[in-house]
Amino acid sequence: VLPYFGDEDEFHMGFHFPIMPRLYMALRQSNTMPLVDILARTPPISKTNQWCIFLRNHDELTLEMVTEAEREWMWQEFAPDQRMRLNLGIRRRLAPLLDNDVRKIALMKSLLLTLAGSPIIYYGDEIGMGDDIWLSDRNGVRTPMQWNDQMNAGFSTADERKLYTPVVGDDVYGYKIVNVTDQQSYPGSLLWLIRRMIAVRKQHRVFGRGDFTWVSCDTEQVAAYLRSSPAEQLLILNNLSANTQMIESLLPHWQDGVLYDLLTGAQFPVYGGVLALTLTPYQYLWLAR
């Protein structure tokens, strides 16, 4: 991929395809090692270029950049039905891939928005849209945006028979249940949660431009890392497991003081450069001084 960036005069940004399946591996295995490994193998690029990171897009979840054993494992875990597979990938949307579990979806968004790179969010994933594996080719993940619970999900006033792809109408992900209008009116919705995350990210330049460093917390079930710049340093914690995790992290440069979560305002004391806290299942924290 590196030659496509040229001498800072060709690609400005390039999709980081290898990290995407490893995010799902890390979550399903409750282990950071797939992420640690792929980031260690990621080559450095110029400060004027950037990696794009993503969870899903308009094509299949490509598995071209994993081993054959890893591909078979991903298929078994995330696409047990043959209709869910396409080429060397998986044609499913984010919410179905994550069991429609808001905790898992939010955790994956936390990783997406805090790892090094520029995050890309595929339309509909901000409200937890589903897919239609009965449609051909890649159309199953390209159904109309579900704006409201009205005709054609508010996407078009055309006769439904003239739509290129039918709207999703099942009992779990159908537009009567999952749509923008409903989630806009409910502050506890996935849409509001992701809006909050994006707003906080935009307030801290270190997410887009800062350095990335792994932090030890005595368990591989928690992805802990620093995002650092001369102006700011943030500690990010992501519990990848369905179990409560008690962690201790050594933060020698921070000594005594209090860290607060950028998303909720919750406070956590640091004593002698050590942060000790408990993370609930799939909890994430974006900590600042």
Side-chain angles (χ1 to χ4, degrees):
V1 174
L2 286 182
Y4 286 93
F5 288 105
D7 186 18
E8 302 184 14
D9 60 352
E10 293 193 30
F11 267 6
H12 293 104
M13 308 173 75
F15 275 107
H16 195 318
F17 281 97
I19 197 174
M20 182 263 297
R22 271 76 180 192
L23 287 162
Y24 293 92
M25 290 180 192
L27 180 62
R28 186 72 93 193
Q29 297 171 6
S30 301
N31 194 301
T32 60
M33 292 315 296
L35 297 177
V36 172
D37 174 67
I38 201 62
L39 290 179
R41 293 160 54 194
T42 299
I45 55 178
S46 166
K47 290 289 187 182
T48 63
N49 298 127
Q50 184 66 290
W51 292 112
C52 297
I53 56 176
F54 64 109
L55 301 175
R56 286 300 291 111
N57 66 8
H58 61 290
D59 293 332
E60 63 271 24
L61 191 164
T62 180
L63 298 175
E64 293 181 353
M65 299 183 187
V66 300
T67 66
E68 289 188 17
E70 289 172 333
R71 184 180 305 123
E72 287 294 334
W73 182 86
M74 285 287 290
W75 276 335
Q76 291 301 319
E77 291 293 321
F78 295 101
D81 188 318
Q82 190 66 38
R83 289 185 296 265
M84 300 174 181
R85 306 176 188 181
L86 181 68
N87 301 322
L88 293 181
I90 297 171
R91 59 185 200 119
R92 303 230 68 187
R93 268 190 173 270
L94 180 65
L97 283 167
L98 300 180
D99 310 312
N100 203 24
D101 188 329
V102 174
R103 300 173 306 165
K104 295 178 183 178
I105 296 172
L107 176 70
M108 288 285 270
K109 293 294 185 182
S110 172
L111 289 164
L112 175 71
L113 293 168
T114 60
L115 288 170
S118 292
I120 307 296
I121 296 178
Y122 186 47
Y123 86 91
D125 283 352
E126 71 276 26
I127 61 171
M129 272 180 58
D131 47 48
D132 186 345
I133 62 174
W134 298 98
L135 296 177
S136 64
D137 201 58
R138 294 164 168 167
N139 294 330
V141 298
R142 298 176 177 179
T143 56
M145 181 65 183
Q146 294 168 198
W147 295 106
N148 56 44
D149 63 0
Q150 303 301 304
M151 176 182 177
N152 296 328
F155 180 79
S156 172
T157 57
D159 186 301
E160 64 179 17
R161 294 169 297 181
K162 294 184 178 180
L163 296 182
Y164 177 76
T165 300
V167 299
V168 174
D170 61 43
D171 294 336
V172 178
Y173 300 103
Y175 68 95
K176 296 284 187 180
I177 301 165
V178 178
N179 63 72
V180 174
T181 300
D182 285 350
Q183 293 199 20
Q184 280 181 327
S185 64
Y186 175 49
S189 68
L190 179 62
L191 176 61
W192 274 101
L193 175 60
I194 294 174
R195 278 179 170 173
R196 171 64 176 160
M197 286 182 171
I198 293 172
V200 170
R201 188 184 192 277
K202 290 173 68 174
Q203 294 169 4
H204 298 270
R205 185 177 175 85
V206 69
F207 283 124
R209 293 291 186 178
D211 295 330
F212 177 96
T213 309
W214 289 108
V215 173
S216 174
C217 58
D218 299 325
T219 174
E220 293 180 350
Q221 294 185 309
V222 175
Y225 42 89
L226 290 175
R227 300 305 314 278
S228 307
S229 71
E232 188 175 24
Q233 191 174 59
L234 303 177
L235 173 63
I236 311 301
L237 302 173
N238 299 284
N239 182 4
L240 301 173
S241 81
N243 301 313
T244 297
Q245 300 292 325
M246 299 179 66
I247 67 167
E248 283 193 3
S249 291
L250 182 62
L251 305 171
H253 301 296
W254 289 7
Q255 296 305 313
D256 293 345
V258 175
L259 302 182
Y260 72 96
D261 181 24
L262 294 175
L263 297 169
T264 65
Q267 297 187 355
F268 304 90
V270 177
Y271 297 114
V274 176
L275 171 68
L277 54 77
T278 299
L279 292 171
T280 58
Y282 305 117
Q283 185 180 6
Y284 49 89
L285 297 170
W286 301 2
L287 300 177
R289 294 198 70 174

Coordinates of all heavy atoms in Angstrom, one line a residue, residues 4 7 29 51 57 75-76 86 122 127-128 139 151 160 172 183 189 202 211 225 242 245 250 254 281 284 288:
Y4 N 1.3 3.8 -2.9 CA 0.2 4.6 -3.3 C 0.2 6.0 -2.7 O -0.5 6.9 -3.2 CB -1.1 3.9 -3.0 CG -1.4 2.7 -4.0 CD1 -1.0 1.4 -3.7 CD2 -2.1 3.0 -5.2 CE1 -1.3 0.4 -4.5 CE2 -2.3 1.9 -6.1 CZ -1.9 0.6 -5.7 OH -2.1 -0.4 -6.6
D7 N 5.3 10.3 -2.8 CA 6.2 11.1 -2.0 C 5.3 12.3 -1.5 O 5.6 13.5 -1.8 CB 7.3 11.6 -2.9 CG 8.4 12.4 -2.1 OD1 8.4 12.3 -0.8 OD2 9.1 13.2 -2.7
Q29 N -12.7 -12.8 20.8 CA -11.8 -13.5 21.6 C -11.5 -12.9 22.9 O -10.8 -13.5 23.8 CB -10.5 -13.7 20.8 CG -10.6 -14.5 19.5 CD -9.3 -14.4 18.7 OE1 -8.3 -13.9 19.1 NE2 -9.4 -15.0 17.5
W51 N -4.2 7.0 7.8 CA -4.9 5.8 7.6 C -6.4 6.0 7.8 O -6.7 6.7 8.8 CB -4.4 4.7 8.5 CG -3.0 4.2 8.3 CD1 -1.9 4.3 9.1 CD2 -2.6 3.4 7.1 NE1 -0.9 3.7 8.5 CE2 -1.2 3.1 7.3 CE3 -3.2 2.9 6.0 CZ2 -0.5 2.4 6.4 CZ3 -2.5 2.2 5.1 CH2 -1.1 1.9 5.3
N57 N -18.3 -1.1 5.5 CA -18.5 -0.2 4.4 C -19.6 -0.8 3.5 O -20.3 -1.7 3.8 CB -17.2 0.1 3.7 CG -16.6 -1.1 3.0 OD1 -17.2 -2.2 2.9 ND2 -15.3 -0.9 2.6
W75 N -15.6 -16.8 9.4 CA -16.9 -17.3 8.8 C -17.7 -18.0 9.8 O -18.9 -17.8 9.9 CB -16.5 -18.2 7.6 CG -16.3 -17.4 6.3 CD1 -16.8 -16.2 6.0 CD2 -15.5 -17.8 5.2 NE1 -16.3 -15.8 4.8 CE2 -15.6 -16.8 4.3 CE3 -14.8 -19.0 4.9 CZ2 -14.9 -16.9 3.0 CZ3 -14.2 -19.1 3.7 CH2 -14.2 -18.1 2.8
Q76 N -17.1 -18.9 10.6 CA -17.9 -19.7 11.5 C -18.5 -18.8 12.6 O -19.6 -19.0 13.1 CB -16.9 -20.8 12.2 CG -16.5 -21.9 11.2 CD -17.7 -22.6 10.6 OE1 -18.7 -22.9 11.3 NE2 -17.6 -23.0 9.4
L86 N -19.7 -13.8 1.0 CA -19.5 -13.3 -0.4 C -18.1 -13.2 -0.7 O -17.3 -12.6 0.1 CB -20.2 -12.0 -0.6 CG -20.2 -11.4 -2.0 CD1 -21.0 -12.3 -3.0 CD2 -20.7 -10.0 -2.1
Y122 N -20.1 4.0 8.3 CA -21.0 3.6 7.2 C -22.4 4.0 7.5 O -22.9 3.8 8.6 CB -20.9 2.1 6.9 CG -21.6 1.7 5.7 CD1 -21.5 2.3 4.4 CD2 -22.4 0.5 5.7 CE1 -22.2 1.9 3.3 CE2 -23.1 0.1 4.6 CZ -23.0 0.8 3.4 OH -23.7 0.3 2.3
I127 N -27.4 4.1 13.7 CA -28.6 3.8 14.3 C -28.8 2.3 14.5 O -29.9 1.9 15.0 CB -29.8 4.4 13.5 CG1 -29.9 3.8 12.1 CG2 -29.8 5.9 13.5 CD1 -31.2 4.2 11.4
G128 N -27.9 1.5 14.1 CA -28.0 0.0 14.2 C -28.8 -0.6 13.2 O -29.6 -1.6 13.5
N139 N -26.0 -6.2 -2.3 CA -27.2 -5.3 -2.0 C -27.7 -5.5 -0.6 O -28.4 -4.6 -0.1 CB -28.2 -5.6 -3.1 CG -27.8 -5.2 -4.5 OD1 -27.1 -4.3 -4.7 ND2 -28.3 -6.0 -5.5
M151 N -43.7 5.7 4.7 CA -43.5 5.0 3.5 C -42.1 4.9 3.0 O -41.3 6.0 3.1 CB -44.3 5.8 2.4 CG -44.2 5.2 1.0 SD -45.1 6.2 -0.2 CE -44.7 5.3 -1.7
E160 N -43.0 1.6 -4.0 CA -41.9 0.7 -3.4 C -41.4 -0.3 -4.4 O -40.3 -0.8 -4.3 CB -42.5 -0.1 -2.2 CG -43.6 -1.0 -2.5 CD -44.2 -1.7 -1.3 OE1 -43.8 -1.3 -0.2 OE2 -44.9 -2.7 -1.5
V172 N -36.9 -7.1 13.8 CA -35.8 -6.7 14.6 C -35.1 -5.4 14.1 O -34.9 -4.5 14.8 CB -34.7 -7.8 14.7 CG1 -33.5 -7.4 15.5 CG2 -35.3 -9.1 15.2
Q183 N -34.9 7.7 17.1 CA -33.7 7.8 17.9 C -33.3 9.2 18.2 O -32.7 9.5 19.3 CB -32.5 7.1 17.2 CG -32.7 5.5 17.2 CD -31.4 4.8 17.0 OE1 -30.3 5.2 17.2 NE2 -31.6 3.5 16.5
S189 N -30.5 6.8 23.0 CA -30.4 6.0 21.8 C -29.0 5.8 21.3 O -28.1 6.6 21.7 CB -31.2 6.6 20.6 OG -30.7 7.8 20.2
K202 N -13.9 15.5 18.3 CA -13.6 16.7 17.6 C -13.0 17.8 18.5 O -12.3 18.7 18.0 CB -14.9 17.2 16.9 CG -15.4 16.4 15.8 CD -16.7 16.8 15.2 CE -16.6 18.1 14.5 NZ -17.9 18.5 13.8
D211 N 0.3 10.7 18.9 CA 1.0 9.4 18.9 C 0.1 8.3 19.6 O -0.8 8.6 20.4 CB 2.3 9.5 19.6 CG 3.3 10.4 18.9 OD1 3.2 10.5 17.6 OD2 4.1 11.0 19.5
Y225 N -4.5 2.1 25.9 CA -3.4 2.9 25.2 C -3.5 4.3 25.4 O -4.5 4.9 25.9 CB -3.6 2.6 23.7 CG -5.0 2.6 23.1 CD1 -5.6 3.8 22.7 CD2 -5.7 1.4 23.1 CE1 -6.8 3.8 22.1 CE2 -7.0 1.4 22.5 CZ -7.6 2.6 22.1 OH -8.8 2.6 21.5
A242 N -17.0 -9.9 28.2 CA -18.3 -9.9 28.8 C -18.2 -10.0 30.4 O -19.2 -10.1 31.0 CB -19.1 -11.1 28.3
Q245 N -13.7 -6.4 34.7 CA -12.2 -6.5 34.8 C -11.7 -5.5 35.8 O -12.0 -4.3 35.8 CB -11.6 -6.1 33.4 CG -12.0 -7.1 32.3 CD -11.4 -8.5 32.5 OE1 -10.3 -8.6 33.0 NE2 -12.2 -9.5 32.1
L250 N 0.2 1.4 35.3 CA 1.3 2.2 35.8 C 1.4 3.5 34.9 O 1.6 3.3 33.7 CB 2.6 1.5 35.8 CG 3.8 2.2 36.4 CD1 3.6 2.6 37.8 CD2 5.1 1.4 36.2
W254 N 2.1 10.7 35.5 CA 0.9 11.3 36.0 C 0.9 11.4 37.5 O 0.2 12.3 38.1 CB -0.4 10.6 35.5 CG -0.5 10.9 34.0 CD1 0.3 11.5 33.2 CD2 -1.7 10.5 33.2 NE1 -0.2 11.5 31.9 CE2 -1.4 10.9 31.9 CE3 -2.9 9.8 33.5 CZ2 -2.3 10.7 30.8 CZ3 -3.7 9.6 32.4 CH2 -3.5 10.1 31.1
P281 N -18.6 -5.1 32.0 CA -18.5 -5.8 30.7 C -18.7 -4.8 29.5 O -19.6 -3.9 29.5 CB -19.7 -6.8 30.7 CG -19.8 -7.1 32.2 CD -19.5 -5.9 32.9
Y284 N -16.0 1.2 28.3 CA -14.9 2.0 27.7 C -14.8 3.3 28.5 O -15.8 3.9 28.9 CB -15.1 2.2 26.2 CG -16.4 2.7 25.9 CD1 -16.7 4.1 25.8 CD2 -17.5 1.8 25.6 CE1 -18.0 4.6 25.5 CE2 -18.8 2.3 25.3 CZ -19.0 3.7 25.3 OH -20.2 4.1 25.0
A288 N -8.8 11.7 30.9 CA -7.9 12.9 30.7 C -7.6 13.4 32.2 O -8.4 13.2 33.1 CB -8.6 14.0 29.9

